[in-house]
Amino acid sequence: MKKTRLWASLLALAFVGSCQNNDEIMDASAKQLEVHDKIVNVTHDGRPFSTGNSTSVNGKFVSGPGGGVMMQGFYWDVPAGGNWWNTVNSKLTDWSNAGISAVWLPPASKAQNGAYSMGYDPTDYYDFGNYNQNGSVETRFGSKAELEALITKAHAENMQVYADIVINHNSGGQSQANPFTGTNTWTDFSGVASGKFQRTYNDFYKNSYGNNDEGAFGGFPDLCHANPYVKSWLWEREDSVGKYYKNVMKFDGWRFDYVKGFGPWVVNTWNSNIGGFSVGELWDSNVNTLEWWANNANSSVFDFAAYYKMDEAFDNGNLNALNDDMMWKRNPYKAVTFVANHDTDVIYNKMPAYAYILTHEGYPTIFYRDYEEWLNKERLNNLIWIHNNKATGTTSILYTDNDEYIARRNGYNGNPGLVVYINSSSNWQERWIQTNWSNQQIKDFTGSSSWHPTTQGDKWVKIQCAPKSYSVWSLNQ
């Protein structure tokens, strides 16, 4: 959830209704609007990198040894006007071709600010742009039919679709006398247009179930998950919110907003009743807290620990920070890694950060604006291909100092793995490192280095990396 702009905008409503080669050294630390246009296409078969053109007959995502990559299919304040679902729909084939396995969509149901809302102030969970409510029929993103067409197209491309679920708070209710506060509160949702999950004051804290749960957000009515009526409508009934999203709308998974606001048992119970992939937005850099939540929620969690360590490493000249603890190191199967999202975009030097998450363990996420607007798409497609085809096995950190970081993916089930070399200095660097491979020729799959060294019998080899860049090495096959 947008912790600053959303709150400010809704309070204003007053709750009323790298790849470089030796000759072309690109500055990977350029800010978002710089476009790197000097890219060498070494091959067109996916090695060393995909250019974004389809490399398969049907142009559909096919899972590789390293798994897939999630696309965050929106950013804060995407254009209003009801065309966003169509915009995303038009990009799905290219994303699938590039190796994107899933797309995360913004909150899809009608919210208080109607056609202008980003969805994080939900009013009616069953209005996907098909009821005249809160000043509009369509949501900011479009109509229910357009959303359904997007999901159908994604599934045809072998991609999954994840819904952003906001169940900490609601907004857009009518005023009513509340005996638990002794005042009027905006908690009357008995008139929602869908007629489903009607709510009144006892469905929000404070109420007969207590004064509060783990946390409230921005003064919005705080939904009470302890109330059996609320639990029934969220995940138990056959027409519950979760089952409607999954069985009718055909969503495949969930991104839970602001999970600091309720206990991890809520997500755990949702997952037990509904199923599908899930990830929680627990905005906390403490890896112990992230691991605790993920285990108790039976869910993945965004790796904010890695996020802030990458900022320290790539923006503040301390690659040693990558030695520190992160969620993906604790449990890569429950860690969703990212470089930016709709809420936070603090990492300035993004390409090495993407090289990091797309070569390491965890489930990497690409931010829409980084991919479509701000960074070089061919370089990102190269890293996506490397992730899907080479990033296998456990991780061993081989070398770090302030300017250099080298790590090895140890390979799995016949896949050779890789070695990633990140260099933040202003000079070419070379290092002897131990690989997974004995007496084998290797190459840099980014195309940055022209070396094709052969590993020694003891698996040692010298590799190199261009200034302010990265290289990724694996068997030349």
Side-chain angles (χ1 to χ4, degrees):
M1 154 153 300
K2 197 70 181 179
K3 304 304 186 290
T4 53
R5 282 179 282 184
L6 173 64
W7 190 8
S9 64
L10 291 177
L11 287 179
L13 295 173
F15 290 101
V16 179
S18 181
C19 298
Q20 302 97 337
N21 68 14
N22 294 357
D23 298 319
E24 295 176 279
I25 305 300
M26 292 176 254
D27 184 2
S29 65
K31 191 48 180 167
Q32 295 162 336
L33 295 179
E34 178 176 319
V35 175
H36 299 293
D37 57 0
K38 294 183 178 180
I39 295 292
V40 178
N41 285 357
V42 182
T43 70
H44 291 276
D45 64 353
R47 297 193 301 264
F49 67 85
S50 162
T51 64
N53 297 319
S54 174
T55 58
S56 61
V57 175
N58 296 320
K60 302 179 188 303
F61 170 77
V62 177
S63 182
V69 176
M70 183 196 313
M71 173 69 74
Q72 179 176 359
F74 66 100
Y75 54 92
W76 192 254
D77 281 350
V78 301
N83 200 46
W84 190 251
W85 298 145
N86 292 332
T87 297
V88 173
N89 192 329
S90 70
K91 297 182 181 297
L92 291 172
T93 297
D94 286 344
W95 291 352
S96 175
N97 291 344
I100 303 295
S101 60
V103 56
W104 155 30
L105 298 181
S109 62
K110 188 69 63 65
Q112 178 181 358
N113 207 16
Y116 301 99
S117 176
M118 283 296 297
Y120 290 97
D121 49 336
T123 298
D124 189 341
Y125 289 102
Y126 296 84
D127 180 0
F128 294 91
N130 48 311
Y131 294 100
N132 190 350
Q133 184 172 207
N134 292 354
S136 68
V137 174
E138 291 192 347
T139 67
R140 182 188 193 100
F141 314 114
S143 68
K144 181 180 181 181
E146 290 165 342
L147 173 60
E148 290 172 323
L150 185 165
I151 295 171
T152 298
K153 175 68 175 296
H155 289 161
E157 297 290 346
N158 292 338
M159 299 171 67
Q160 291 198 324
V161 184
Y162 303 149
D164 204 315
I165 299 294
V166 186
I167 55 174
N168 176 71
H169 53 271
N170 292 167
S171 189
Q174 300 301 305
S175 177
Q176 63 180 167
N178 189 329
F180 295 99
T181 65
T183 64
N184 274 35
T185 52
W186 301 94
T187 51
D188 183 1
F189 293 82
S190 61
V192 290
S194 69
K196 294 181 178 291
F197 194 15
Q198 300 176 353
R199 289 142 279 160
T200 60
Y201 57 77
N202 201 42
D203 301 314
F204 300 91
Y205 290 110
K206 78 183 190 181
N207 58 9
S208 62
Y209 297 90
N211 291 336
N212 59 272
D213 56 358
E214 277 73 5
F217 179 78
F220 296 126
D222 188 20
L223 201 58
C224 174
H225 305 95
N227 185 336
Y229 175 82
V230 173
K231 289 189 282 189
S232 177
W233 270 106
L234 285 181
W235 57 70
E236 291 176 349
R237 300 167 54 111
E238 286 307 306
D239 60 345
S240 65
V241 173
K243 291 177 182 177
Y244 191 92
Y245 270 65
K246 187 172 190 291
N247 299 328
V248 178
M249 299 304 295
K250 305 299 184 182
F251 281 101
D252 305 290
W254 329 104
R255 180 268 188 187
F256 289 95
D257 180 67
Y258 192 62
V259 298
K260 282 188 173 183
F262 46 88
W265 69 268
V266 173
V267 172
N268 194 324
T269 309
W270 174 294
N271 289 339
S272 296
N273 280 268
I274 309 302
F277 171 80
S278 76
V279 57
E281 182 220 15
L282 185 71
W283 198 324
D284 197 310
S285 63
N286 187 319
V287 68
N288 293 318
T289 304
L290 297 173
E291 184 181 35
W292 166 84
W293 186 89
N295 289 340
N296 283 277
N298 189 28
S299 172
S300 296
V301 66
F302 284 105
D303 195 347
F304 278 92
Y307 176 71
Y308 287 110
K309 290 303 177 183
M310 286 191 292
D311 181 42
E312 182 180 346
F314 301 125
D315 289 346
N316 296 293
N318 179 24
L319 296 192
N320 285 311
L322 300 178
N323 288 319
D324 292 343
D325 207 358
M326 305 174 191
M327 182 62 194
W328 73 259
K329 297 182 182 183
R330 296 282 185 96
N331 188 341
Y333 301 103
K334 290 186 176 179
V336 176
T337 53
F338 67 103
V339 174
N341 64 30
H342 64 295
D343 276 336
T344 180
D345 193 4
V346 302
I347 297 175
Y348 180 88
N349 194 10
K350 288 185 173 182
M351 282 309 304
Y354 276 113
Y356 181 80
I357 69 169
L358 287 162
T359 55
H360 284 65
E361 293 170 81
Y363 187 2
T365 307
I366 307 288
F367 182 45
Y368 179 94
R369 300 199 85 170
D370 287 342
Y371 188 83
E372 291 292 342
E373 299 176 19
W374 290 338
L375 302 180
N376 187 287
K377 188 179 294 187
E378 291 181 345
R379 299 178 75 193
L380 288 173
N381 284 346
N382 168 226
L383 289 170
I384 293 167
W385 186 92
I386 288 170
H387 171 271
N388 292 355
N389 291 278
K390 300 293 184 182
T392 62
T394 58
T395 302
S396 300
I397 298 177
L398 304 180
Y399 180 85
T400 61
D401 61 24
N402 284 346
D403 296 329
E404 296 174 69
Y405 173 87
I406 306 175
R408 183 179 70 222
R409 293 295 298 276
N410 294 310
Y412 177 74
N413 197 26
N415 185 277
L418 58 80
V419 173
V420 58
Y421 191 164
I422 301 175
N423 173 20
S424 65
S425 78
S426 299
N427 302 300
W428 280 85
Q429 299 290 349
E430 300 173 358
R431 291 284 168 190
W432 280 93
I433 53 96
Q434 190 171 30
T435 70
N436 302 320
W437 320 294
S438 178
N439 300 314
Q440 299 273 353
Q441 187 183 70
I442 65 172
K443 70 176 180 181
D444 172 17
F445 276 75
T446 73
S448 176
S449 171
S450 60
W451 282 10
H452 290 73
T454 298
T455 63
Q456 298 179 345
D458 58 3
K459 303 181 181 180
W460 284 80
V461 71
K462 182 188 281 188
I463 59 174
Q464 67 174 184
C465 189
K468 299 185 182 301
S469 188
Y470 54 86
S471 54
V472 183
W473 303 80
S474 190
L475 293 185
N476 187 9
Q477 61 183 35

